[in-house]
Amino acid sequence: MTVMSIARFERFFRAAAGLDVDKNDLKRYSDFVDAKLYDLLTVAQATAQANGRDIIRTCDLPITKGLQESIHHFQKINQEVELKPILEQLATHPALDRTPDEETEAAYPDIIGGLSLALAQSFKILHPDLKNPQTQHWDEARAVFDLLL
């Protein structure tokens, strides 16, 4: 990731939850994004299959009310931070039995943005006074997302 991308990443977490993250957190963040997008797509794939389709549509993704709200909030923050172009680079998916359609793939940056916002806010819910997440905090937040997604 470029220096400019790191700065946007840092600005996003400050805007989203008042957190100070640095380039050392990028690997944890990237791993989180990859895993959660894969989890969403795995469920979407099963939904598409149950509906007799060979493609995954956006409506197949298990987007909860809370995640939808986080996506909308991310879109507002993104106007200020301009993180979406970076998220487009992160929005890759592994090979699946069913292929996502173009609309679904186009939604990935916003979905990742919503997940990112929810992640940042979860740090503050778990540790209200937290300023700089450490490995333990990342592990705790990831465990919560693993339980729910």
Side-chain angles (χ1 to χ4, degrees):
M1 200 176 266
T2 66
V3 172
M4 180 181 287
S5 298
I6 294 169
R8 286 183 186 175
F9 167 75
E10 291 170 343
R11 252 192 353 246
F12 170 76
F13 273 85
R14 268 193 300 279
L19 295 171
D20 294 324
V21 296
D22 55 37
K23 64 181 179 181
N24 295 325
D25 292 312
L26 284 175
K27 173 72 170 126
R28 290 184 196 112
Y29 172 71
S30 179
D31 289 347
F32 171 83
V33 165
D34 289 344
K36 294 302 109 195
L37 183 59
Y38 178 76
D39 290 348
L40 290 171
L41 287 169
T42 299
V43 173
Q45 180 174 260
T47 302
Q49 181 179 7
N51 288 312
R53 283 186 272 102
D54 291 335
I55 61 166
I56 296 172
R57 294 187 180 150
T58 307
C59 62
D60 295 324
L61 293 165
I63 305 294
T64 63
K65 178 184 176 277
L67 180 52
Q68 186 65 47
E69 290 172 359
S70 292
I71 290 169
H72 290 306
H73 191 201
F74 163 74
Q75 290 168 334
K76 292 176 186 173
I77 290 175
N78 185 53
Q79 293 174 0
E80 173 188 326
V81 180
E82 298 178 16
L83 193 64
K84 196 169 180 176
I86 297 164
L87 297 182
E88 287 171 353
Q89 296 170 7
L90 292 175
T92 59
H93 62 82
L96 302 165
D97 292 339
R98 297 195 164 23
T99 305
D101 64 12
E102 288 181 25
E103 179 184 328
T104 303
E105 287 184 338
Y108 289 174
D110 283 333
I111 293 168
I112 293 170
L115 287 168
S116 301
L117 181 73
L119 171 67
Q121 292 177 342
S122 71
F123 285 129
K124 288 302 233 182
I125 291 169
L126 295 169
H127 302 280
D129 298 327
L130 184 67
K131 290 295 180 193
N132 185 0
Q134 302 299 310
T135 301
Q136 166 196 346
H137 304 116
W138 282 90
D139 292 345
E140 289 172 0
R142 176 83 180 255
V144 170
F145 278 84
D146 287 345
L147 181 65
L148 298 173
L149 288 181

